[in-house]
Amino acid sequence: MLPIGLGGVVLEGALLALSFFMIAPFLWIVSTSLRLPQDSFSLPPAIFPTAWHIGNYAEVFAKVPFFDFIFNSLKICLIIVIGHVFISSMAAFAFSRIAFAGRNVLFLVFLSGLMIPGQVTIIPQFIMMSKLGLVDTHLALILPGLINPFGIFMIRQTMMTISYTYDEAAYMDGASRVWVFWKIILPMAFPAVVVTSVISFIAHWNDFFRPLIFLNSFEKMTLPIGMTALTGAFGTGNLSAILAGVTLSLVVPLLLYIFGQKYLLDGITAGGLKL
């Protein structure tokens, strides 16, 4: 049996090695985005570029309206996150704090939505959006994203861990149910709200499939689908410029994670699996 000190060193070494394998693809992306185009496919792959070429980033802005794509993605993601948190938190409050007939059965029905892949429902969604005249608009992406069973589940599980004495004391003081939800329960479930917000934002920020189906106009495209213009005809685009665009697209999710990471572990831990 290893001594505690040596065991700790071995464990830290193993974690560092695992971390390197996880971060290596991102290092290669950033490194290749700074290479000359002809060095993009050099073998063996090098971690650091031999010649620094910042012009790849300028090429991104020259070839595509990058800021327009960023604006479209931010607009869609922020509206979805705000609406999603508002709807999910109210549904979670009802499932966790209000006793009504069939509550558990209805909650299981909501959870069953997690087992249905988005590709299965894309045709009915497209037909519905087409009849509403919303194809090639951002609303076609926003409306289906407002309700997510996972968000309801996460926030509900956290609210279930909050003692009911808070509700009873507030009701005895004459508080309304809306006041209890807004002033007591929702602030105490804030870590779970942050977790669902981050997950929802990143999921829609990286979404390629649904914008590909619903959006036709180049100026309305989100970042993932708009960046395909950098690949050029028959995929002959500058790989270094493509990865420069990928690197720029990672900035917003990275900042979001940095500022929200302290709530992520708390929210996941508080959620638990209590049913």
Side-chain angles (χ1 to χ4, degrees):
M1 184 174 181
L2 293 174
I4 295 178
L6 181 59
V9 171
V10 172
L11 178 60
E12 290 185 5
L15 291 176
L16 285 174
L18 181 61
S19 300
F20 173 77
F21 281 108
M22 294 179 66
I23 201 173
F26 297 98
L27 293 176
W28 181 82
I29 289 173
V30 176
S31 176
T32 305
S33 71
L34 295 169
R35 302 180 197 276
L36 293 170
Q38 60 267 27
D39 296 334
S40 300
F41 297 97
S42 60
L43 292 174
I47 296 297
F48 299 102
T50 55
W52 299 83
H53 188 60
I54 306 298
N56 294 321
Y57 288 85
E59 185 176 341
V60 173
F61 294 97
K63 285 191 172 181
V64 297
F66 190 81
F67 286 116
D68 291 341
F69 296 155
I70 289 285
F71 175 79
N72 291 338
S73 292
L74 278 176
K75 168 189 168 184
I76 292 171
C77 291
L78 289 177
I79 294 176
I80 288 177
V81 167
I82 294 172
H84 166 65
V85 167
F86 180 71
I87 294 173
S88 297
S89 60
M90 289 194 300
F93 179 80
F95 281 125
S96 62
R97 319 302 289 188
I98 302 175
F100 58 89
R103 181 180 70 171
N104 293 333
V105 174
L106 184 59
F107 180 65
L108 291 176
V109 171
F110 266 91
L111 286 184
S112 65
L114 293 173
M115 297 183 291
I116 303 176
Q119 291 80 1
V120 174
T121 61
I122 195 66
I123 294 178
Q125 284 185 22
F126 184 85
I127 294 174
M128 182 183 302
M129 295 302 167
S130 179
K131 291 183 179 297
L132 294 174
L134 297 179
V135 174
D136 198 27
T137 68
H138 290 164
L139 280 176
L141 302 176
I142 293 172
L143 293 179
L146 294 178
I147 299 178
N148 188 339
F150 178 78
I152 298 174
F153 170 77
M154 278 293 299
I155 301 176
R156 184 256 188 188
Q157 298 306 98
T158 300
M159 290 183 176
M160 289 287 290
T161 64
I162 301 173
S163 174
Y164 285 88
T165 56
Y166 294 102
D167 308 57
E168 295 169 358
Y171 291 140
M172 289 179 63
D173 290 337
S176 65
R177 183 165 285 165
V178 174
W179 193 94
V180 171
F181 163 73
W182 187 253
K183 294 294 185 178
I184 299 178
I185 304 301
L186 186 60
M188 297 179 73
F190 185 71
V193 171
V194 173
V195 171
T196 57
S197 299
V198 171
I199 293 175
S200 178
F201 184 94
I202 293 178
H204 290 93
W205 179 268
N206 295 328
D207 189 13
F208 180 86
F209 178 68
R210 292 172 63 245
L212 179 66
I213 299 296
F214 290 109
L215 299 180
N216 302 319
S217 302
F218 190 65
E219 64 275 6
K220 296 179 181 178
M221 290 182 177
T222 58
L223 189 58
I225 190 172
M227 292 291 291
T228 58
L230 290 173
T231 60
F234 304 105
T236 58
N238 179 359
L239 178 62
S240 296
I242 295 172
L243 294 181
V246 172
T247 302
L248 291 172
S249 69
L250 293 174
V251 173
V252 174
L254 181 62
L255 291 175
L256 181 67
Y257 175 77
I258 290 174
F259 288 106
Q261 63 176 328
K262 66 178 181 179
Y263 298 106
L264 292 177
L265 183 59
D266 292 340
I268 294 174
T269 304
L273 293 173
K274 183 178 179 181
L275 293 173

